[in-house]
Amino acid sequence: MSDLRAPAPPAPPGPPATPAGTLPGAPVTSDGTPHGTLDGALAGLPPEASGAEVWSALGAGGHLAACYLDGDPRRGVRPAALARLLAATDARFGIPATLSVSVPLATTLPVLATGTTPEARRALEDALAGRVTTALAATDATAGTDLSGLRTAVHLDGDTVEVTGEKQWIANATTASWFLVLARLRPGRHFTAFTWVLVPADAPGVHVRPADSSLYAASGTGHVRFDGVRLTTGHLVDRVGMGLPSFARHIATERLAGALWGVALCRRVLADTRRRLAARAHGGATLWDNEAIRQRFAACLVRTQELHALCEQFAQPVARRYDTTAAATLKAAAGATVGQVLGDCAQWWGAAGFADGSVQQTRAQAALFGIGGGATEVVLATLADSAEHVLARLELRGDTP
């Protein structure tokens, strides 16, 4: 069968290949295999463990580093390893803790890995080993998806860097040792007007407060204010002015991670729901024998398999080429699929679904799949901009059956 995909645009230049083990503190073997199993690494934690506790356990066992080629975030993610880690975390600890693991793995550490200063290298090594948590501080006090309109600013004066502004709804905010801050260098919306700054959480002028939400307490979500935080230029990450291009590349990986996680979440909730339906007596049979429910359940299975198929199709283009169109497709599909599947399952649980920790709470938490990492409307606009490319990829070739 011929390849139905349109020719891909040239891949952006990536980092040079580096031998395994170049990141001290990433405890994996020479072939990237972690020490011990995922289940073993997480077995000692209670179900209510925080995201920071989960991160620490995963890092100590080498499972964070194992999500990257050769254990190095500069080399890109290994989608299968990332999917296994997110599924295991979601199954044991739920959405908030998984959120606090997913964002650093997919976005924060790969961006941080572009830094070459001692501060950036130390933060990366400690994070990979699970010794510290990091927070991606991109979402501003302005509209979260409008990054080119953010107000948090960085002022450069010789060897001094000063950061002022506020970031809101930041995962890991209350537990982070470091904030990776996207800040404005100069006025205007040009993509070169922004850069990344690595800010220590204990620096004078950093103020953190928890978000007023119990839904994501285990993720350490909060708001961060920077009141004239003064640092050295060693805290600048990557080349000055590369903030938005770097973010655009790595948010693609975060969207892949979200889709992989979405498949695992839908499978988990559907499996739990089917067991309940099969055990719930109704009219001399069970709720599972109700044909209307079976039809809707089958539709949820179809949607989940569709998302899984998209992940299989687009995992490598996103992981290796940072394909933004493929990533937008995954993000839009994940938001729609998770919303439908959890909405239907919540209905079938009836009143029991409103118990603390039950499916209605999971459904509310899962709304982030349509908002975090780019609202569904935003990523659909990205797809519309790429309509000709998408349609060309879908064109049937003469040798296609």
Side-chain angles (χ1 to χ4, degrees), residues 243-294:
L244 283 189
S246 176
F247 183 84
R249 292 182 74 194
H250 295 296
I251 194 63
T253 312
E254 184 176 320
R255 290 169 176 170
L256 168 62
L260 294 169
W261 177 15
V263 172
L265 173 62
C266 288
R267 183 200 173 282
R268 170 170 69 87
V269 174
L270 282 167
D272 289 345
T273 301
R274 188 191 179 285
R275 284 191 291 269
R276 178 174 175 79
L277 292 172
R280 186 76 169 172
H282 179 74
T286 68
L287 286 176
W288 178 246
D289 296 309
N290 182 292
E291 191 57 30
I293 290 177
R294 290 167 62 86

Side-chain angles (χ1 to χ4, degrees), residues 193-292:
F194 307 89
T195 202
W196 292 104
V197 186
L198 184 62
V199 179
D202 59 358
V206 177
H207 306 280
V208 180
R209 70 182 191 279
D212 185 18
S213 172
S214 61
L215 287 175
Y216 300 106
S219 69
T221 295
H223 313 305
V224 191
R225 191 175 79 251
F226 305 98
D227 288 338
V229 179
R230 296 176 66 84
L231 305 165
T232 67
T233 52
H235 291 83
L236 295 174
V237 177
D238 205 351
R239 288 174 289 164
V240 171
M242 291 298 292
L244 283 189
S246 176
F247 183 84
R249 292 182 74 194
H250 295 296
I251 194 63
T253 312
E254 184 176 320
R255 290 169 176 170
L256 168 62
L260 294 169
W261 177 15
V263 172
L265 173 62
C266 288
R267 183 200 173 282
R268 170 170 69 87
V269 174
L270 282 167
D272 289 345
T273 301
R274 188 191 179 285
R275 284 191 291 269
R276 178 174 175 79
L277 292 172
R280 186 76 169 172
H282 179 74
T286 68
L287 286 176
W288 178 246
D289 296 309
N290 182 292
E291 191 57 30

Side-chain angles (χ1 to χ4, degrees), residues 24-27 55-62 64-65 123-132:
W55 180 269
S56 178
L58 291 170
L64 301 176
L124 179 63
E125 292 161 8
D126 286 347
L128 273 176
R131 293 190 289 268
V132 302

Side-chain angles (χ1 to χ4, degrees), residues 15 23 68 72-75 107-117 120-121 124 128 180 237-238 246 250:
L23 293 176
Y68 307 105
D72 187 347
R74 292 171 295 181
R75 302 292 308 281
T107 309
T108 315
L109 298 194
V111 172
L112 184 55
T114 63
T116 58
T117 65
R121 301 306 292 166
L124 179 63
L128 273 176
L180 186 60
V237 177
D238 205 351
S246 176
H250 295 296

Side-chain angles (χ1 to χ4, degrees), residues 358-392:
S358 193
V359 66
Q360 290 288 2
Q361 179 175 318
T362 302
R363 178 192 185 188
Q365 293 168 332
L368 69 86
F369 281 85
I371 297 174
T376 299
E377 295 82 357
V378 173
V379 294
L380 286 174
T382 299
L383 280 175
D385 291 340
S386 302
E388 291 186 8
H389 171 70
V390 173
L391 292 172

Side-chain angles (χ1 to χ4, degrees), residues 149-176:
L150 65 81
R151 297 171 185 166
T152 297
V154 56
H155 177 68
L156 308 183
D157 184 9
D159 293 332
T160 302
V161 174
E162 183 173 291
V163 182
T164 301
E166 184 172 358
K167 300 293 185 176
Q168 296 184 347
W169 298 103
I170 305 301
N172 296 317
T174 64
T175 63

